[in-house]
Amino acid sequence: MAGTKTLLRALTGETLDVPPIWMMRQAGRYLPEYRATRAKAGDFLSLCYNPELAAEVTLQPIRRYGFDAAILFADILLVPQALGADLWFVTGEGPRLSTITTPEDVTALKPLSDIHETLNPIYETVRILAQELPAETTLIGFAGAPWTVATYMIAGRGTPDQGPAHALMQADRVTFEALLHRITEATIDYLSCQIDAGAEVVKLFDSWAGSLKGEDFTKYALDPARQIIAALKAKHPGIPVIAFPREAGDHYIGFAKATGADCVALDNSVSADWAARNVQVDGCVQGNLAPGHMVTGGQALVDETKRIVAAFSKGPHIFNLGHGITPDADPDNVQRMIDAVRG
Ligand code: CP3
């Protein structure tokens, strides 16, 4: 209920004395209990597709820290896999996928009705979490935004500059747009099923939005987000959506209004003061402590956390990092950050 859950209250535009707090990648390798459960599962993907263990790692940071929100444990690359791409993770390097670069590759993707065969275990994880989470904790579902997911599908891996995706966009816009369209439709269905299973908020991760400039940003980051949000809100009236067009810079301005998002998540390349003046004027924002503070700690962590809380204190705010916490972070620094926010 929005009445009791602080995260839902912030998402409806309420300014709270103490902002709700959670962390991107809060279930992750910096936690010894995560590493133990992952070892039990075997590998990362086996963990994602095991509802009991995925629910367990989702709950671990809630038990340890009492965050105001839990984010479903899964990955944005499960949607490409559900669409028929091969997916595996190389330890220490990251994801690998079979590549999609031709019209035939796009045509060969599975029809929408078939994606749930692969994704059903994820909905089961959501159902378990909806049962087991404390009453005050909000459950966040998520998916990758079409552009970011497409960058991995086209390149077959993570890339520093999303070069292969930009190259396909230039060389064969029809195929590129057909792929984006397929991902957009799959994302709507996937998130809709997460909501049916009990997700109370959904977040769209557009991690590589920052490499889209000008018109391309509008067409491939903003428009797909707007379509997904409109479709979800039509099916699930009132469902709150957090959009994360990472490193969007000036494109953060007006993004919530243009897409219908209830909250814009900010990376740490923008200053909190700037974002309070230019983005929070339209509603709730989330962010944006640099994840490096979770490694380095000290007084700088406390000072920077308090500065961000103060900068956003005049409007609705969800405290978070500007990107995911890294495996080398010190779990004690997470507690220091929480104490600085709630203190
Ligand atoms: O935030 C959470 O705690 C929920 C779970 C979650 C994961 N990935 C688990 C994960 C979420 C929300 C994601 C999103 C995700 N996945 C994004 C968007 C957010 C971002 O970070 O920009 C992206 C780009 C991916 C794709 C992905 N998954 C990459 C590039 C990698 C490898 C890099 C790395 O950190 O190892 C992953 C692996 C991954 N996803 C891990 C976790 C906990 C580490 C896997 C492990 O345990 O070895």
Side-chain angles (χ1 to χ4, degrees):
M1 298 301 292
T4 54
K5 299 194 182 194
T6 53
L7 194 108
L8 295 177
R9 287 167 61 190
L11 285 170
T12 56
E14 196 176 327
T15 304
L16 299 160
D17 291 339
V18 176
I21 178 168
W22 69 282
M23 240 179 15
M24 283 185 264
R25 293 275 171 99
Q26 63 191 18
R29 286 161 292 179
Y30 73 105
L31 286 179
E33 58 269 39
Y34 170 83
R35 296 195 297 268
T37 310
R38 210 194 92 167
K40 203 159 115 189
D43 58 50
F44 173 66
L45 283 175
S46 306
L47 179 52
C48 290
Y49 288 118
N50 181 321
E52 295 292 337
L53 294 183
E56 165 59 23
V57 294
T58 305
L59 291 164
Q60 285 168 350
I62 308 305
R63 289 191 204 112
R64 188 190 264 255
Y65 300 113
F67 284 117
D68 295 289
I71 183 159
L72 162 70
F73 188 84
D75 197 84
I76 67 165
L77 300 178
L78 305 187
V79 166
Q81 190 171 38
L83 283 167
D86 294 329
L87 171 69
W88 66 104
F89 281 80
V90 179
T91 310
E93 289 188 34
R96 296 287 184 276
L97 302 90
S98 48
T99 58
I100 307 284
T101 54
T102 66
E104 293 75 27
D105 291 340
V106 176
T107 310
L109 293 172
K110 287 191 189 166
L112 278 187
S113 53
D114 288 0
I115 66 172
H116 306 294
E117 242 169 64
T118 303
L119 298 170
N120 272 329
I122 310 308
Y123 312 142
E124 180 58 22
T125 306
V126 174
R127 280 190 287 272
I128 295 171
L129 288 167
Q131 292 283 317
E132 294 197 358
L133 277 169
E136 66 277 13
T137 315
T138 302
L139 178 55
I140 303 174
F142 75 93
W147 160 248
T148 287
V149 172
T151 66
Y152 290 94
M153 292 180 82
I154 294 163
R157 58 191 298 160
T159 48
D161 56 359
Q162 298 72 61
H166 284 285
L168 182 65
M169 188 200 293
Q170 297 310 323
D172 185 353
R173 216 168 264 269
V174 173
T175 299
F176 172 79
E177 291 186 355
L179 176 60
L180 229 65
H181 181 68
R182 294 300 301 278
I183 302 168
T184 301
E185 289 187 314
T187 303
I188 291 166
D189 276 16
Y190 179 46
L191 289 175
S192 187
C193 287
Q194 290 183 29
I195 296 163
D196 284 334
E200 300 171 282
V201 175
V202 292
K203 179 170 175 185
L204 261 183
F205 285 89
D206 211 348
S207 303
W208 301 117
S211 80
L212 292 168
K213 304 298 174 200
E215 179 85 338
D216 286 341
F217 182 90
T218 308
K219 273 162 59 185
Y220 305 130
L222 193 147
D223 284 350
R226 183 174 49 71
Q227 286 165 33
I228 292 166
I229 293 168
L232 290 176
K233 287 188 183 262
K235 267 182 119 172
H236 310 272
I239 185 76
V241 182
I242 302 172
F244 183 33
R246 190 170 75 90
E247 293 190 353
D250 285 346
H251 289 299
Y252 275 125
I253 301 170
F255 193 83
K257 270 193 179 157
T259 59
D262 301 87
C263 174
V264 174
L266 303 159
D267 69 84
N268 46 280
S269 72
V270 295
S271 91
D273 289 322
W274 175 87
R277 281 196 309 274
N278 292 288
V279 188
Q280 199 187 24
V281 287
D282 291 335
C284 189
V285 292
Q286 176 179 285
N288 70 341
L289 181 69
H293 285 292
M294 297 297 101
V295 180
T296 52
Q299 192 58 38
L301 156 61
V302 175
D303 292 348
E304 189 59 8
T305 298
K306 292 193 166 164
R307 203 184 60 73
I308 289 168
V309 170
F312 290 124
S313 63
K314 305 274 190 304
H317 176 218
I318 298 165
F319 193 91
N320 204 307
L321 304 179
H323 200 191
I325 187 169
T326 52
D328 54 343
D330 179 348
D332 290 342
N333 285 332
V334 176
Q335 190 60 55
R336 285 184 194 107
M337 169 184 75
I338 293 169
D339 292 344
V341 171
R342 292 183 177 160

